[in-house]
Amino acid sequence: VINNHPDVSLKTYRQVKEVVDRLGFQPNTAARSLVTKRSYTLALITSDIAHYPQQILAAVEYNARQKGYKLFVNVIDTSSSTPSLQDVKSLFDLLSYQVDGVIWAPEDDVKSSGFWNDKLRELNIPVVCISAGKVDYLPFIAVDNRLGGFIATTHLIEQGYKQVGIITGPLDLVPALERKSGWQEALNKFGEMFQQNLIVQGDWMAPSGEAAMHKLLEDFPQIDAVFASNDQMALGAIQAIFQRGKRIPEDIGIVGFDDSPSSAYFHPPLTSISHHFNELGMKAVQGNRHKYG
Amino acid sequence: VINNHPDVSLKTYRQVKEVVDRLGFQPNTAARSLVTKRSYTLALITSDIAHYPQQILAAVEYNARQKGYKLFVNVIDTSSSTPSLQDVKSLFDLLSYQVDGVIWAPEDDVKSSGFWNDKLRELNIPVVCISAGKVDYLPFIAVDNRLGGFIATTHLIEQGYKQVGIITGPLDLVPALERKSGWQEALNKFGEMFQQNLIVQGDWMAPSGEAAMHKLLEDFPQIDAVFASNDQMALGAIQAIFQRGKRIPEDIGIVGFDDSPSSAYFHPPLTSISHHFNELGMKAVQGNRHKYG
DNA sequence: CTGAAAGCGCTTACAG
DNA sequence: CTGAAAGCGCTTACAG
């Protein structure tokens, strides 16, 4: 075979060829894992891949790969309170692959989380849960929403803003509450003069962010900054600010929160607090018991 | 064991328990696939999970699961023209799991695509490529960007807009070109009176969409609608439209294109053309030879 | 129709 | 240190 890829350096090509040749006798992992009792695979189980933060997925995949693990990705529906038979089958089916560990990454609105937590706990393989808060009886890695809210708010305060409001998520959800706590904590820490009542609740969606911002500006004309608890609501808030003829960041400062990598493309570019996803993925793969339930 | 999950119906609980019990003797897929020569796994290989359209990932996972396959997800770096040894190893390592099929989903800006296409072609397992256009010597499923552009533009024309411009992506990329072709096709089909030169190029990012929209509005004051070739640029364009005191959709109509599920949350809600992701995922899993290279 | 045996491709403990 | 043998947990073809 000749190197017919001019874009590939000869050195790399030779190395690659050597690997391929060496693996020409195609090892069979099934046979290997049959005797070693290890599969060198990890399973990422999540509840909705289309909405689950991509960065977490990417970080888990990256770290698994770095450690030499292959990654299964499997979705199970947790939105209904009754787990489906199909999902249970799907899970056990996956486990029959002798996966070496499970990374359990449910969304927050999980109704049947108790069921799945228990099921996963009964397995005799390592399980790590990536969550927004404390998880009972299961090792978990918590995305630190409180710290995020604290950092976001601190960022605004340090830029000199004096009246920092918040647009929260639905306050029956842990991440929304935690982000709000972080906001409050920052206000307390940096000055007692900050008003603590500049709060409007949203529902994570952009339109609610817009409505919330309008309300904040009406109820508290003195407001000069806002921490939007996620980027979508920040987007809506930006619209509201524009609609009222105010400028960013001269008149109103705004900080968003995580989730989408696209936030960097917002205009005006949105300062957004991001989680330490890579660290999170690394811990999940290592199965480190970061915090206990 | 008692059903201590009040949220789970007794019937479901019993069914689940039966499955668990039946699987109590824990089948071992490694042993099975050793003799059957099948692993009942599929591998999704992509170039950057954090930027790769989530819906495609979700659709592939969903359809794989429906067909009883487990899904490996593996990222390889294709952005550099020289494939890394690590990536080649990673790929062959994965194949040693005897995967039953590979779904090869590179991003458009792949520099070493030729290398990887060839490598994958040499394998004696089914490979399907999900791509933006034609792929040589490999079965592929093409996202129909041209049709998308056609539909988007038609949508605007049918709403009565008379001067439909376009903000394109980088025109050296196939998807950008195809979307533009679709736009042109629609203009031709629906009326010769449409101006064909209302074109400004962007770079997929929001700021370029904003700049492009400003330029369109300056160069062609008669413009009353625009097809933004992706949602990020549409976002930027919306900003520009607002900044000039124009209203959407009264003064200017706008349609975006695909990619993010978040586009529905834009404000004003962005009409956005989406791909038929589920169909795409299904075809990829079926290994259907939708089109040939 | 039932059940014991052979064998998939590896790893590992053990004999030489 | 080297090499043949045993065995991982299944499926399948074959003997009874």
Side-chain angles (χ1 to χ4, degrees):
Chain A
V1 186
I2 310 159
N3 177 2
N4 50 9
H5 296 285
D7 51 347
V8 176
S9 83
L10 202 63
K11 179 164 160 260
T12 302
Y13 183 78
R14 283 202 184 113
Q15 291 179 313
V16 165
K17 192 164 182 337
E18 191 199 322
V19 171
V20 174
D21 288 348
R22 185 146 27 96
L23 271 52
F25 78 107
Q26 289 286 16
N28 184 322
T29 309
R32 179 163 60 130
S33 72
L34 187 57
V35 44
T36 60
K37 309 282 184 198
R38 300 196 56 194
S39 65
Y40 307 94
T41 61
L42 257 29
L44 176 67
I45 299 173
T46 183
S47 49
D48 185 346
I49 219 173
H51 295 103
Y52 196 76
Q54 290 175 292
Q55 300 102 314
I56 293 183
L57 181 59
V60 167
E61 191 280 339
Y62 176 79
N63 283 284
R65 187 152 37 88
Q66 293 304 312
K67 295 266 177 197
Y69 287 100
K70 297 302 163 192
L71 186 70
F72 284 113
V73 173
N74 197 72
V75 171
I76 55 180
D77 178 18
T78 53
S79 65
S80 118
S81 61
T82 305
S84 77
L85 191 56
Q86 202 182 17
D87 281 347
V88 176
K89 271 182 181 151
S90 167
L91 176 62
F92 276 82
D93 214 37
L94 184 55
L95 299 177
S96 76
Y97 282 79
Q98 318 296 108
V99 297
D100 295 334
V102 169
I103 294 158
W104 165 228
E107 290 189 288
D108 304 316
D109 59 343
V110 168
K111 291 222 180 71
S112 50
S113 63
F115 174 84
W116 291 108
N117 284 357
D118 278 13
K119 273 280 155 285
L120 289 165
R121 190 152 55 87
E122 289 165 11
L123 308 172
N124 51 359
I125 53 176
V127 175
V128 174
C129 180
I130 298 179
S131 67
K134 189 172 168 301
V135 177
D136 287 335
Y137 308 116
L138 218 52
F140 67 93
I141 300 165
V143 172
D144 201 334
N145 287 287
R146 180 190 288 251
L147 180 62
F150 181 83
I151 293 172
T153 309
T154 300
H155 178 80
L156 289 169
I157 294 173
E158 284 177 353
Q159 301 209 318
Y161 295 105
K162 297 294 177 207
Q163 299 291 342
V164 184
I166 182 173
I167 300 172
T168 73
L171 289 174
D172 54 330
L173 297 181
V174 173
L177 269 175
E178 291 284 308
R179 290 172 200 190
K180 176 164 168 265
S181 296
W183 167 78
Q184 221 143 20
E185 216 171 271
L187 296 189
N188 286 334
K189 178 172 175 187
F190 284 90
E192 297 296 335
M193 84 291 285
F194 284 109
Q195 258 185 272
Q196 306 247 354
N197 63 335
L198 311 182
I199 303 173
V200 177
Q201 192 177 155
D203 65 6
W204 296 137
M205 310 293 190
S208 81
E210 186 187 5
M213 193 67 224
H214 277 302
K215 187 156 168 42
L216 280 174
L217 289 167
E218 266 160 35
D219 293 359
F220 313 104
Q222 75 279 24
I223 200 169
D224 65 356
V226 65
F227 161 44
S229 293
N230 80 348
D231 285 347
Q232 291 302 334
M233 295 193 298
L235 187 54
I238 289 172
Q239 301 286 354
I241 293 166
F242 279 149
Q243 284 162 18
R244 293 183 169 247
K246 305 222 181 233
R247 293 161 304 163
I248 298 170
E250 295 87 345
D251 303 323
I252 306 278
I254 181 164
V255 172
F257 199 96
D258 94 342
D259 297 321
S260 70
S262 57
S263 61
Y265 308 141
F266 284 174
H267 188 85
L270 180 62
T271 304
S272 187
I273 303 306
S274 72
H275 301 304
H276 300 142
F277 287 115
N278 191 54
E279 192 195 350
L280 196 153
M282 196 163 62
K283 281 177 179 159
V285 168
Q286 290 175 334
N288 264 356
R289 280 130 206 260
H290 183 52
K291 291 179 180 178
Y292 289 90
Chain B
V1 186
I2 310 160
N3 178 2
N4 50 8
H5 294 286
D7 51 346
V8 176
S9 82
L10 203 64
K11 179 165 161 257
T12 303
Y13 183 78
R14 284 203 184 113
Q15 289 180 313
V16 164
K17 189 160 184 341
E18 191 201 322
V19 171
V20 174
D21 288 347
R22 185 148 25 99
L23 271 52
F25 77 108
Q26 291 284 17
N28 184 322
T29 308
R32 180 163 61 129
S33 73
L34 187 57
V35 44
T36 60
K37 308 281 186 202
R38 300 196 56 194
S39 64
Y40 308 94
T41 62
L42 258 29
L44 176 66
I45 300 172
T46 183
S47 49
D48 186 346
I49 218 173
H51 295 102
Y52 196 74
Q54 290 175 292
Q55 298 102 314
I56 293 184
L57 181 59
V60 167
E61 192 278 339
Y62 177 78
N63 284 282
R65 188 152 37 88
Q66 293 303 313
K67 296 265 179 201
Y69 288 101
K70 298 301 161 191
L71 186 70
F72 284 113
V73 173
N74 197 72
V75 171
I76 55 181
D77 178 19
T78 53
S79 66
S80 118
S81 62
T82 305
S84 78
L85 191 55
Q86 202 182 18
D87 281 346
V88 176
K89 271 182 180 152
S90 167
L91 176 62
F92 276 82
D93 214 35
L94 185 56
L95 299 176
S96 76
Y97 282 78
Q98 317 296 109
V99 297
D100 295 334
V102 168
I103 295 158
W104 165 227
E107 291 189 288
D108 305 315
D109 57 343
V110 168
K111 291 224 179 70
S112 51
S113 63
F115 174 84
W116 290 108
N117 284 357
D118 278 14
K119 273 281 154 284
L120 288 166
R121 189 150 57 86
E122 288 165 12
L123 308 172
N124 50 0
I125 54 175
V127 175
V128 174
C129 181
I130 297 180
S131 68
K134 189 171 167 303
V135 177
D136 287 334
Y137 308 117
L138 218 51
F140 66 94
I141 300 165
V143 172
D144 200 334
N145 287 288
R146 180 190 289 249
L147 180 62
F150 182 82
I151 292 173
T153 309
T154 301
H155 178 80
L156 288 169
I157 294 173
E158 284 176 352
Q159 301 210 316
Y161 295 105
K162 297 294 177 205
Q163 299 290 344
V164 184
I166 183 173
I167 300 171
T168 73
L171 289 173
D172 54 329
L173 296 180
V174 173
L177 269 174
E178 290 285 307
R179 290 171 200 191
K180 176 163 169 266
S181 296
W183 166 78
Q184 221 144 19
E185 218 171 271
L187 295 189
N188 286 334
K189 179 173 174 188
F190 284 88
E192 296 296 337
M193 84 290 286
F194 284 109
Q195 260 186 271
Q196 306 248 354
N197 63 335
L198 311 183
I199 303 172
V200 177
Q201 193 177 156
D203 65 6
W204 296 136
M205 309 295 190
S208 80
E210 186 186 6
M213 193 69 225
H214 276 302
K215 188 157 167 41
L216 280 174
L217 289 166
E218 266 161 35
D219 293 0
F220 314 103
Q222 75 279 23
I223 199 169
D224 66 354
V226 66
F227 163 43
S229 293
N230 79 348
D231 284 347
Q232 291 303 332
M233 293 193 298
L235 188 54
I238 289 172
Q239 302 287 354
I241 293 167
F242 278 149
Q243 284 162 19
R244 292 181 170 247
K246 305 221 181 235
R247 293 161 304 163
I248 298 169
E250 295 87 346
D251 302 324
I252 306 278
I254 181 164
V255 171
F257 199 96
D258 96 341
D259 297 321
S260 70
S262 57
S263 61
Y265 307 142
F266 283 175
H267 189 84
L270 180 62
T271 304
S272 186
I273 304 305
S274 73
H275 303 304
H276 300 144
F277 286 115
N278 190 55
E279 190 195 352
L280 196 153
M282 197 163 60
K283 281 178 179 157
V285 168
Q286 290 175 334
N288 264 356
R289 279 129 206 262
H290 183 53
K291 292 179 179 178
Y292 290 90

